[in-house]
Amino acid sequence: MGYELKMRVWRGDQSGGDLGDYTVEVSEGEVVLDALHRLQATQAGDLAVRWNCKAGKCGSCSAEINGRPRLLCMTRLSDFEPTETITVTPMRSFPVIRDLVTDVSYNYEKARELPGVELGPRDPDGKRRMMQVDVERGQEFRKCIECFLCQNTCHVVRDHEDNKPAFAGPRFFLRYAELDMHPLDTRDRRSAARETAGLGMCNITKCCTEVCPEGIRITDNAIIPMKERIVDRKYDPLVWLGAKIGLR
Ligand code: SF4
Ligand code: F3S
Ligand code: FES
């Protein structure tokens, strides 16, 4: 069954913009991205919206729906009353390119700062072995689709643009934890996590976890264990003494 959906969509670019009012013909079972595509096809041919898979897997269609960070392709119209007006705005923490499309290069810069994997020596027969249990430990983190909704939501940068240079954000704390749990990796990322990525600026509000479309428990399973490891290094007197006399 079809109905007329009232939408407010942010239109504009770096120089400014405003919400535009539209009425779009939609059908039951559709998602917000379907409504935007129909809007593009019938009334606003120049509306900019980024998308790719329409299956919640590419992480391209991130935006804010009624102020809440969500994937446009995974938000069903049936989540709202048919009479409700749906407001779609671009992610607030990143600069707008046009309409709903933002420049997410902040995230790629943070990815580049992260120390990569450093494998230890091979076994005497030339192979590398890892236990299945160790492989599985980081499995949850590999579900990340890089939608950057968590990055957009974290108040450390959402409300304080000037924190960006010193703060890598939840998606990359997740990556730190993933690499730290890699069974063959030998690199110690604890000081990088503290000094380069600004892990200490996270005060565990868990807003990142709440918006993750993959249901990754970013705070409990990645951030808190990484924080514990850093504290171990900083406050363990033996580790401290070892560092002082150059053992580590
Ligand atoms: Fe998106 Fe979740 Fe990955 Fe953050 S951790 S980028 S919210 S999938
Ligand atoms: Fe931000 Fe998540 Fe920490 S929202 S403050 S990174 S728990
Ligand atoms: Fe790929 Fe929405 S279009 S996640």
Side-chain angles (χ1 to χ4, degrees):
M1 221 183 63
Y3 64 98
E4 306 256 289
L5 172 73
K6 289 210 181 328
M7 296 188 93
R8 306 195 82 197
V9 182
W10 196 87
R11 307 296 311 272
D13 56 24
Q14 300 93 320
S15 56
D18 209 347
L19 290 169
D21 287 295
Y22 302 95
T23 302
V24 190
E25 188 71 37
V26 293
S27 303
E28 216 175 288
E30 288 189 322
V31 293
V32 175
L33 186 60
D34 291 318
L36 290 169
H37 280 163
R38 192 146 315 113
L39 181 59
Q40 256 182 343
T42 58
Q43 303 167 51
D46 61 344
L47 171 69
V49 52
R50 191 187 276 137
W51 67 283
N52 203 326
C53 70
K54 216 165 168 260
K57 285 298 159 211
C58 73
S60 308
C61 67
S62 302
E64 303 195 2
I65 303 172
N66 292 352
R68 188 178 159 78
R70 301 180 76 161
L71 294 179
L72 295 170
C73 75
M74 296 304 283
T75 306
R76 296 197 164 278
L77 294 177
S78 56
D79 291 352
F80 309 89
E81 293 298 325
T83 50
E84 194 177 339
T85 301
I86 295 182
T87 303
V88 189
T89 47
M91 285 194 282
R92 199 177 94 188
S93 301
F94 309 123
V96 167
I97 298 175
R98 194 157 65 82
D99 301 338
L100 301 176
V101 177
T102 52
D103 175 0
V104 292
S105 23
Y106 159 70
N107 301 289
Y108 303 129
E109 283 156 26
K110 295 298 161 186
R112 274 194 290 274
E113 288 173 7
L114 212 149
V117 174
E118 205 167 78
L119 298 177
R122 291 175 187 274
D123 293 342
D125 62 2
K127 293 187 178 168
R128 288 199 165 96
R129 291 179 177 78
M130 36 190 171
M131 302 292 287
Q132 189 59 29
V133 64
D134 293 329
V135 173
E136 278 161 13
R137 198 164 294 131
Q139 200 62 27
E140 177 190 12
F141 306 153
R142 290 194 276 277
K143 292 195 305 183
C144 174
I145 57 169
E146 299 221 299
C147 64
F148 304 132
L149 286 174
C150 56
Q151 300 283 95
N152 173 53
T153 305
C154 177
H155 66 97
V156 175
V157 291
R158 191 172 172 94
D159 301 329
H160 309 279
E161 178 72 23
D162 50 333
N163 280 338
K164 279 186 175 173
F167 187 72
R171 189 281 169 262
F172 298 101
F173 299 148
L174 188 77
R175 183 77 178 136
Y176 268 89
E178 180 189 338
L179 292 180
D180 247 44
M181 290 180 198
H182 190 301
L184 298 179
D185 179 59
T186 57
R187 205 191 278 260
D188 186 344
R189 286 178 196 77
R190 286 177 291 184
S191 58
R194 191 177 60 239
E195 278 134 39
T196 313
L199 185 63
M201 292 165 84
C202 160
N203 52 357
I204 326 185
T205 55
K206 298 196 180 188
C207 316
C208 51
T209 303
E210 279 170 31
V211 298
C212 178
E214 284 295 314
I216 303 170
R217 296 180 64 200
I218 309 169
T219 321
D220 288 352
N221 293 351
I223 296 179
I224 292 174
M226 272 311 287
K227 277 180 174 282
E228 282 168 352
R229 298 200 63 206
I230 285 171
V231 170
D232 282 356
R233 182 185 164 85
K234 207 170 172 197
Y235 298 108
D236 181 327
L238 283 178
V239 172
W240 177 83
L241 184 65
K244 274 277 172 214
I245 60 176
L247 293 179
R248 288 176 57 99

